[in-house]
Structure formats: C-alpha cells, structure tokens
Amino acid sequence: MAEIKPLGHLVAIEVLEVESKSKGGIIFATGKNAEFEQDACEFGRIVEFGPTAFYGVTGCIPEKYPTGHPFHSMSPPEIWGIKIGDTVEFRRHEGKQSAVKGKERIRYINDTQIVGRIIGEVEL
C-alpha cells in the first residue's frame, strides 16, 4: 500500500469518519449527501508532518530560544502544541483530499490551518 509523505509546510491528517446516523437510529445523510458531510468534517488525526511544517512560524523556531529553555530542544510542531496521533480541529473543507486509493480520508492541510488540539473523545 502507498505511503503518505506531505511536502513542505503541509500536514497529512486522517479525517475522522462522520456518523451517518444518530445513537437513536435517525439517518442523517445517504449517498452524495453523506459524502458532502464527510468532506465537511473539521476533525482529524495527524498522520505525518511535512519537513518544514511550522518552521519559520512565529514562536516555533527552536534555535531562537536560549539553550536552557524547553523549546530549544523541541521540534516546531511540538512547540505549536501537537504531535503525530493527536486529534485536531481545522477549518471546514480545508486542504486537499488525497487521490491515492485507500488513502481518500487523508487531507493535506497547511500547518497553520490547524486551529486546535482536541483532548478526549470527539462526538461526530
């Protein structure tokens, strides 16, 4: 199976699957409407960072911190507050969906378009 490696400042995020029915059994969407709902999802898990993700972003340059500062030895994504496997929130319809078969739920998103890290379970 193909491997996903974002380039530059992009971050690969696996979009969380949107539930198509409620806990009570009410169906929200089917067919094209279900696809639209999935495309509109705003939550995902970080799969991979591009090699320059968050480099140059204000506050995310480890070398600018004194040697004894904790940020000096951290990667820019860690300084931003995220790591691979974290669940994050981003803007609706953000990024480019992967066209690789079997990786259609992966989106390439600009690093600074990640607006929040989710702690705990996300209810979709």
Side-chain angles (χ1 to χ4, degrees):
M1 181 170 283
E3 189 175 333
I4 297 290
K5 289 283 188 187
L7 301 176
H9 63 278
L10 298 174
V11 178
I13 295 179
E14 182 178 12
V15 177
L16 298 181
E17 192 162 352
V18 175
E19 293 292 325
S20 59
K21 63 181 175 178
S22 71
K23 291 179 183 177
I26 297 171
I27 297 174
F28 294 135
T30 58
K32 287 287 182 191
N33 288 335
E35 286 179 32
F36 180 76
E37 288 294 323
Q38 185 63 48
D39 289 344
C41 183
E42 301 170 328
F43 301 100
R45 286 195 182 80
I46 296 176
V47 176
E48 189 71 51
F49 294 108
T52 59
F54 301 103
Y55 280 91
V57 174
T58 302
C60 292
I61 304 168
E63 300 82 31
K64 291 201 173 192
Y65 290 95
T67 307
H69 194 283
F71 287 175
H72 183 77
S73 61
M74 295 171 79
S75 70
E78 289 173 318
I79 295 171
W80 190 258
I82 57 176
K83 63 186 180 313
I84 292 175
D86 280 351
T87 300
V88 295
E89 187 171 7
F90 47 88
R91 292 185 176 94
R92 186 173 288 248
H93 301 293
E94 187 65 46
K96 187 233 180 270
Q97 181 178 0
S98 175
V100 176
K101 186 175 174 103
K103 302 286 184 179
E104 294 88 354
R105 288 191 21 221
I106 300 290
R107 275 199 220 162
Y108 298 101
I109 296 176
N110 290 330
D111 51 9
T112 57
Q113 297 306 312
I114 297 171
V115 296
R117 181 173 66 121
I118 308 301
I119 299 168
E121 290 297 313
V122 176
E123 193 170 317
L124 301 174

